[in-house]
Amino acid sequence: MISADLVEPKEENQIHSRSSGFSKRPPPESLPEPELDIYSSVPIQCWTQWFNSDNPTGGEDQETLARLRIQYPGKICPIPVGIEATNLFGIPADQTGDTIFQSDTTTGFICRNGDQISGECNDYRVRFSCTPPYCADTVCWTQWFDRDNPSGTGDWETLHSLRREKADKICEDPWYIEAVTVDSPSTPAIQTGENFYVFSPTQGLVCRQEDQSSKTCLDYKVRFGCPCTK
């Protein structure tokens, strides 16, 4: 279990680097950070805007990809990797009590009135998760950070520590994180086969030596994807 404070062990060697200029205020340091499990594969994704092209008055609510691509050309990536649906009050579809006929990245979303005890579906909206290069059109990246190396307990590229050192260089709410090895050519962290104690846009990256079969981590650098500002 990861500590809510995610305290980094004191280590002798820390490598510092510079990042691009984001000027949003970092969150208060007293805010607790969520607990995360150890995992070894984290895709880089972003979300489309919300779409609401239909309502259930005609017998069903169809928020299908075929319909949405016609109404919103260029707004959805060619191959979505995830779908999220909520009613217009923001309640997730699987918590509304409705029986959902379809919800996937191939067809989209369909709720049929005839499947409901009440006789009518909620009115739903949907959005889709996409991977680069689609994300590159909607996200601005910081430069790379490499503040630590794995000579001690591991490589701690935490958002908390990076904000402390570069308070005005990372946006307030990063959308996602990318990590690669520092060697050249670099290798994406998700392709190294290593286990990560933390890998999150809200916490950064932590690779601990103890979690690896080899008992040593590679050296990583990270960058954060932020909403673009004018």
Side-chain angles (χ1 to χ4, degrees):
M1 182 177 295
I2 296 177
S3 167
D5 294 329
L6 195 64
V7 177
E8 176 185 356
K10 293 183 181 297
E11 299 186 8
E12 294 297 327
N13 294 318
Q14 292 186 339
I15 303 174
H16 302 272
S17 65
R18 298 164 58 186
S19 71
S20 59
F22 287 91
S23 59
K24 292 187 176 181
R25 177 180 58 84
E29 293 186 357
S30 59
L31 289 178
E33 295 177 341
E35 295 182 351
L36 299 171
D37 294 327
I38 296 174
Y39 53 95
S40 60
S41 179
V42 182
I44 300 169
Q45 299 175 9
C46 62
W47 290 95
T48 66
Q49 66 188 68
W50 288 101
F51 302 103
N52 181 22
S53 66
D54 195 20
N55 61 54
T57 58
E60 58 187 20
D61 190 352
Q62 289 195 27
E63 306 295 341
T64 63
L65 276 166
R67 175 197 290 263
L68 293 171
R69 290 192 193 281
I70 293 173
Q71 294 190 21
Y72 302 94
K75 298 297 184 180
I76 304 172
C77 53
I79 306 176
V81 294
I83 182 174
E84 182 178 6
T86 74
N87 66 15
L88 299 189
F89 297 100
I91 300 173
D94 61 358
Q95 297 178 23
T96 61
D98 285 349
T99 298
I100 307 304
F101 178 68
Q102 197 140 19
S103 182
D104 59 47
T105 57
T106 302
T107 301
F109 180 89
I110 299 175
C111 181
R112 305 186 303 189
N113 290 345
D115 296 332
Q116 315 312 318
I117 297 176
S118 65
E120 186 174 65
C121 295
N122 280 264
D123 191 1
Y124 289 95
R125 61 180 186 171
V126 299
R127 65 177 182 171
F128 298 90
S129 179
C130 300
T131 59
Y134 178 82
C135 292
D137 295 331
T138 58
V139 173
C140 289
W141 289 94
T142 66
Q143 289 187 1
W144 293 100
F145 295 89
D146 178 21
R147 63 167 300 278
D148 194 20
N149 64 42
S151 61
T153 60
D155 193 352
W156 293 70
E157 306 293 341
T158 64
L159 185 59
H160 174 82
S161 295
L162 290 169
R163 279 208 172 109
R164 187 174 58 210
E165 298 171 9
K166 303 287 185 179
D168 62 342
K169 303 301 183 181
I170 305 172
C171 60
E172 184 174 356
D173 297 304
W175 284 351
Y176 48 86
I177 183 174
E178 183 178 10
V180 300
T181 58
V182 299
D183 56 356
S184 182
S186 61
T187 302
I190 60 175
Q191 296 179 13
T192 63
E194 294 196 329
N195 298 307
F196 299 103
Y197 185 61
V198 167
F199 197 154
S200 163
T202 60
Q203 288 192 298
L205 177 137
V206 175
C207 180
R208 301 190 306 181
Q209 316 276 38
E210 64 184 273
D211 298 325
Q212 316 310 318
S213 59
S214 64
K215 300 305 177 184
T216 183
C217 291
L218 297 170
D219 193 3
Y220 293 97
K221 59 183 179 181
V222 300
R223 64 176 183 170
F224 297 90
C226 295
C228 296
T229 57
K230 295 181 179 180

